[in-house]
Amino acid sequence: NAGVMQNPRHLVRRRGQEARLRCSPVKGHSHVYWYRQLPEEGLKFMVYLQKENIIDESGMPKERFSAEFPKEGPSILRIQQVVRGDSAAYFCASSPPTTGANVLTFGAGSRLTVL
Amino acid sequence: GENVEQHPSTLSVQEGDSAVIKCTYSDSASNYFPWYKQELGKRPQLIIDIRSNVGEKKDQRIAVTLNKTAKHFSLHITETQPEDSAVYFCAASIKAAGNKLTFGGGTRVLVKP
């Protein structure tokens, strides 16, 4: 069991470019969550997805950010026209199909630096 | 939505002493309360969790207590060691919201040898 795999681990982008972060959940997990962690801060919820469905995107900025979890392949967090304030660690977590008090397993994170 | 407050934000203890971190939550429907440890540059890792039908849980040097009436829960680390130095996050989730966790702001714990 490889756990939650995130790539790239480090990504450098210039202002205005696009960033794509990928997350492969634990095998058998169908729930994916994205969290953002600014330097020296806590984990802020962004979005919760199941296969082909966005369940809760209440933490996603209204513009430039989008997420998907297709039927096949990893979940992708996409940030368009990045700005310096987007520099952060983006963590993906996954949990099993059943809801209710199940443990979230986190990936190692993708660290985005915007120059 | 759920709001989780965590105190203190930093905690310095002498090796061998105990450390206590406290969290409060706002939504009485929350039913699951995990604690995560995050070392510098690493992923958050679950160290202990408690569900709403339990008041206390212990795992070696770590214990968590839950007071549903007051809507607060605490992490207790006894006989602290230098390797306990890290940032600790409490979290809460509501069954109806799937497994979405709302995190506290974190506590940076430093154990001085």
Side-chain angles (χ1 to χ4, degrees), chain B:
Chain B
E2 174 69 283
N3 183 47
V4 178
E5 300 282 340
Q6 183 171 347
H7 299 280
S9 56
T10 58
L11 181 59
S12 182
V13 297
Q14 209 64 41
E15 183 178 357
D17 287 351
S18 294
V20 180
I21 304 170
K22 298 182 179 182
C23 289
T24 59
Y25 60 98
S26 61
D27 196 326
S28 56
S30 291
N31 65 335
Y32 175 62
F33 307 91
W35 287 85
Y36 284 80
K37 175 183 180 182
Q38 187 179 32
E39 297 176 355
L40 189 63
K42 301 284 182 65
R43 76 187 72 195
Q45 293 204 302
L46 179 73
I47 54 171
I48 195 167
D49 56 13
I50 191 167
R51 303 178 196 278
S52 59
N53 59 345
V54 175
E56 186 174 352
K57 183 176 178 180
K58 198 170 182 179
D59 182 3
Q60 298 183 351
R61 297 186 297 109
I62 294 173
V64 58
T65 59
L66 171 64
N67 183 328
K68 286 170 55 181
T69 303
K71 290 190 283 188
H72 68 67
F73 55 115
S74 301
L75 178 72
H76 304 252
I77 307 173
T78 58
E79 300 172 25
T80 53
Q81 300 168 3
E83 52 264 39
D84 294 330
S85 296
V87 179
Y88 291 80
F89 293 98
C90 63
S93 75
I94 303 169
K95 184 174 181 177
N99 300 320
K100 166 189 167 184
L101 293 176
T102 300
F103 283 87
T107 298
R108 184 175 299 278
V109 174
L110 175 63
V111 180
K112 294 179 287 187

Side-chain angles (χ1 to χ4, degrees), chain A residues 4 31 33 35 37 40-43 45 48 56 58 91 95-96 98-104 106-108 111, chain B residues 31-32 36 38 40-46 49 51 89 93 95 97-106 108:
Chain A
V4 177
H31 297 196
Y33 311 78
Y35 285 82
Q37 187 173 38
E40 303 294 318
E41 293 192 12
L43 294 147
F45 170 78
Y48 161 33
D56 181 348
S58 58
F91 287 95
S95 70
T98 55
T99 58
N102 279 312
V103 174
L104 263 63
F106 280 84
R111 281 157 183 79
Chain B
N31 65 335
Y32 175 62
Y36 284 80
Q38 187 179 32
L40 189 63
K42 301 284 182 65
R43 76 187 72 195
Q45 293 204 302
L46 179 73
D49 56 13
R51 303 178 196 278
F89 293 98
S93 75
K95 184 174 181 177
N99 300 320
K100 166 189 167 184
L101 293 176
T102 300
F103 283 87
R108 184 175 299 278

Side-chain angles (χ1 to χ4, degrees), chain A residues 8 17 23-24 26 39 45 69 77 82 87 89 92 103 110 113-115:
Chain A
Q17 291 184 319
C23 169
S24 295
V26 172
F45 170 78
F69 188 17
L77 180 67
V82 296
S87 295
C92 171
V103 174
S110 291
T113 301
V114 179
L115 301 177

